Amino acid sequence: MSELTVPPFSVVPGAQVQRALAGREKEIVELIEETYRVHGAGATVNPPSYFLRFPDRPASRIIALPASLGGGSGVDGLKWISSFPANIEHGVPRASAVLILNDPATGYPYACLESSIISATRTAASAAAAADRLSRERGRPRRVGFIGTGLIARYIHTFLDGTGWSFDEVGVHDLSADSAAGFRGHVERTVAGARVTLHDSAEALVRNSDLLVFATVAGSPHVHDPAWFAHHPLVLNVSLRDLSPEIVLDSVNVLDDVEHCLKADTSPHLAEQRTGNRDFVDGTLDQVIAGTLRVPSDRTVVFSPFGLGVLDLAVGRFVHEQVARSGELHVIDDFFHELSRHG
């Protein structure tokens, strides 16, 4: 039996995280798809997320996502991510996060990584994977529309661009005119000759988009009319709470994980409450990747990802390995000090 040792503890700041991930969109999408396969095979532990809410700050929350990822080389850990929407009014990003990686042999934490970038990356990679897999038989959409234009929308656009997507038109709608204009500037800077249209209403954007990206901070449905979706677009329901149950029930529904997604008053959860059953759920993205679920081209398709902690672990482990290989890993010597049982 090999002797267990306490792993060194390191801290990976956001600048290193960003450098480790920059330009690797295709590689990260492949990593996310592999993680979905591992999860689908039952080689993960992904308990329900825990929501810390505040009676005096009802719009804010901090979420704990514990998880364990098996497969080739295991890792356990926890993402601790906050969402304080009022920050935006003061020029401070809404979300902040850290990710802790634990050694599966000893249980000791061995890394703390800045994780708002990791979280945005795994969300965007999941969205890009879904857009690709769910459009293979429908044909790639030519008009993409973004409702909500914050960090997540920017990362999703980056991942679509970085995995070979191109569009005849990019539609944009946001309740904040400044945010919509800023997102348009991002698209025009990153894609030469991009045609970007700002829409005054969500209805106009929906009706003029074949691929829809919902990336808002909405706490309850604000899009209610199934007639807006008569052209049967592909919908990435990333923010989870924009669509009414009527729209969900009128669509083909693909989730990342059924048990996780049908809770916390997400749009699919509201549909379950409305009907009293889950018959409207057609399957998971893992089933689409495996080829056991095919989606029709003559219906609206909605992908709803609750966001799995194992995806954060996969990307976090990737980042840690990249930084370690670069020789720039910042190790905190003597972080675990009391290592003698009897002193």
Side-chain angles (χ1 to χ4, degrees):
M1 179 181 296
S2 60
E3 184 177 348
L4 293 178
T5 58
V6 174
F9 185 81
S10 59
V11 174
V12 183
Q16 286 187 322
V17 173
Q18 195 164 59
R19 285 197 297 271
L21 295 172
R24 297 179 179 270
E25 289 84 9
K26 291 181 180 179
E27 189 174 356
I28 299 302
V29 168
E30 292 173 358
L31 173 64
I32 291 301
E33 290 195 349
E34 175 59 26
T35 305
Y36 276 131
R37 283 190 283 266
V38 173
H39 181 67
T44 65
V45 181
N46 206 109
S49 304
Y50 181 83
F51 287 71
L52 177 62
R53 299 187 184 275
F54 313 98
D56 60 330
R57 293 160 286 164
S60 301
R61 67 192 185 204
I62 308 179
I63 312 172
L65 287 79
S68 177
L69 176 60
S73 55
V75 61
D76 309 326
L78 172 77
K79 181 173 75 171
W80 182 237
I81 182 166
S82 67
S83 175
F84 280 53
N87 287 357
I88 297 172
E89 300 172 10
H90 304 280
V92 176
R94 172 187 62 85
S96 58
V98 294
L99 177 67
I100 301 296
L101 303 181
N102 291 73
D103 171 31
T106 64
Y108 271 77
Y110 67 85
C112 176
L113 301 92
E114 195 285 327
S115 198
S116 66
I117 297 170
I118 289 172
S119 186
T121 294
R122 64 84 152 148
T123 300
S126 170
D132 174 37
R133 295 289 182 167
L134 293 171
S135 66
R136 289 191 175 185
E137 296 190 23
R138 298 162 56 94
R140 280 205 166 185
R142 301 303 307 168
R143 302 175 299 169
V144 64
F146 290 85
I147 297 184
T149 55
L151 180 76
I152 297 299
R154 172 161 64 86
Y155 268 72
I156 291 174
H157 177 268
T158 297
F159 265 79
L160 291 172
D161 181 54
T163 52
W165 287 74
S166 61
F167 299 99
D168 298 332
E169 183 175 347
V170 178
V172 177
H173 173 69
D174 197 291
L175 296 179
S176 166
D178 288 343
S179 184
F183 185 78
R184 178 178 62 182
H186 156 74
V187 174
E188 292 173 341
R189 286 191 303 272
T190 54
V191 180
R195 178 184 173 190
V196 183
T197 302
L198 299 184
H199 292 276
D200 293 334
S201 69
E203 178 180 359
L205 183 137
V206 171
R207 289 184 180 275
N208 287 280
S209 302
D210 307 312
L211 173 63
L212 282 160
V213 179
F214 283 91
T216 75
V217 293
S220 60
H222 58 96
V223 177
H224 298 276
D225 190 349
W228 295 6
F229 300 80
H231 57 302
H232 304 311
L234 172 57
V235 181
L236 304 180
N237 183 32
V238 176
S239 40
L240 289 174
R241 294 173 179 85
D242 302 86
L243 305 177
S244 71
E246 290 83 3
I247 293 170
V248 171
L249 295 172
D250 197 46
S251 304
V252 174
N253 289 280
V254 179
L255 314 181
D256 60 349
D257 182 283
V258 176
E259 293 300 327
H260 282 76
C261 204
L262 295 181
K263 60 184 58 174
D265 289 335
T266 64
S267 294
H269 187 210
L270 295 178
E272 180 189 31
Q273 294 174 49
R274 174 75 60 86
T275 62
N277 61 62
R278 299 180 173 183
D279 295 345
F280 62 91
V281 176
D282 294 271
T284 65
L285 183 57
D286 172 59
Q287 292 174 308
V288 175
I289 293 171
T292 58
L293 174 65
R294 300 176 66 180
V295 297
S297 59
D298 59 351
R299 293 185 63 194
T300 299
V301 176
V302 177
F303 173 60
S304 298
F306 194 80
L308 301 176
V310 290
L311 302 182
D312 295 284
L313 289 185
V315 176
R317 180 177 61 189
F318 175 89
V319 169
H320 183 266
E321 291 172 351
Q322 292 293 317
V323 177
R325 277 197 288 269
S326 75
E328 298 178 355
L329 194 63
H330 181 47
V331 175
I332 310 298
D333 293 327
D334 202 29
F335 184 83
F336 295 107
H337 183 64
E338 278 283 10
L339 296 178
S340 174
R341 188 173 187 186
H342 302 292

